[in-house]
Amino acid sequence: MQKSSVASVEAPNANETNEETTRKGRGDRRELILDVASEVFLKEGYAAASMSEIAARLGGSKGTLYNYFKSKEELFGAYVLRNCEMHRSQVGELLKVDGDARTVLTAYARRYLEIFTSEKTLQNWRVISAESAKSPEIGRAFYESGPLQGVKLLAGFLDKAVGRGELKIGDTVQAAHQLISLIHGRMIKARLLNYIPVPSAEEIEVEVQSAIFVFLSAYGV
């Protein structure tokens, strides 16, 4: 009787499995390092933070930490980029939803204000902004990976809304910048300066409806 070859075909290659496990392990460890580094940067600020403290909190040696990041500058850069990716996914996903412009933009504006008026987000902004004054490349990387990518995502949605005949916009990138400025309004400046506490859902809704009303008054068909 001929033996079945199914088992030999489906059995994973041991070397490939080990490589995948190793990559996953390194990825998990890298994320853990960034979690701990974020806590240290937020508490101490970039200048006062040290690789020694981060390694101590991780329960390992500086040598192990340097296997993943060659310097504190590189680690801080990875922290900046991860924050950009996280915020972009949290807000940008709403622009991929099918729906009319008013509904999608209202949900987008609401999520935007909820995230960017939160204390943790503002702490990240303060730390990154402070370091950008001394290291312009940090600020450039942050702006290009965060706010600028956010504008491009929003402009992409506006392009589709224009194509559907819902909006009339000549320059969607400029319009995206304008909408984000309307959403920012007074709240984010006041929050950055600790002038107001974290806004309530009702307060956010008032700002959102006002911003969307002005934007659609200008660009709505």
Side-chain angles (χ1 to χ4, degrees), residues 15-150:
N15 290 334
E16 290 180 358
T17 302
N18 290 337
E19 288 174 5
E20 289 175 4
T21 302
T22 300
R23 282 196 298 270
K24 185 177 184 301
R26 281 188 63 84
D28 291 345
R29 184 65 175 171
R30 187 178 189 277
E31 288 302 306
L32 177 59
I33 291 171
L34 287 171
D35 287 342
V36 172
S38 297
E39 294 174 3
V40 176
F41 288 139
L42 290 177
K43 179 182 177 183
E44 307 290 345
Y46 173 78
S50 70
M51 297 291 269
S52 297
E53 180 178 357
I54 294 169
R57 290 198 181 200
L58 285 165
S61 66
K62 280 202 299 183
T64 301
L65 183 55
Y66 281 114
N67 285 335
Y68 290 85
F69 300 98
K70 296 177 182 177
S71 63
K72 186 172 76 167
E73 291 79 6
E74 184 178 310
L75 177 55
F76 188 75
Y79 151 78
V80 169
L81 293 179
R82 189 173 74 153
N83 272 282
C84 292
E85 291 168 1
M86 179 178 65
H87 293 149
R88 187 166 60 246
S89 66
Q90 289 174 329
V91 178
E93 286 300 314
L94 293 175
L95 298 174
K96 299 177 183 178
V97 175
D98 291 330
D100 64 278
R102 179 184 292 275
T103 300
V104 174
L105 293 178
T106 298
Y108 167 86
R110 190 180 295 120
R111 176 75 61 82
Y112 191 103
L113 267 185
E114 287 170 351
I115 291 172
F116 286 95
T117 56
S118 69
E119 188 57 37
K120 185 171 183 180
T121 298
L122 292 174
Q123 286 178 330
N124 284 320
W125 272 73
R126 292 184 186 110
V127 170
I128 294 168
S129 296
E131 186 55 28
S132 296
K134 295 174 286 185
S135 303
E137 66 277 6
I138 290 291
R140 185 163 51 251
F142 173 65
Y143 185 76
E144 290 176 352
S145 300
L148 192 56
Q149 287 300 315

Side-chain angles (χ1 to χ4, degrees), residues 8 17 27 38 68 101-103 134 142 171 174-175 182 193 195 197-198 203 214 217:
S8 61
T17 302
S38 297
Y68 290 85
R102 179 184 292 275
T103 300
K134 295 174 286 185
F142 173 65
D171 186 340
Q174 182 185 45
L182 287 169
L193 298 171
Y195 183 71
V198 176
E203 290 170 328
V214 172
S217 295

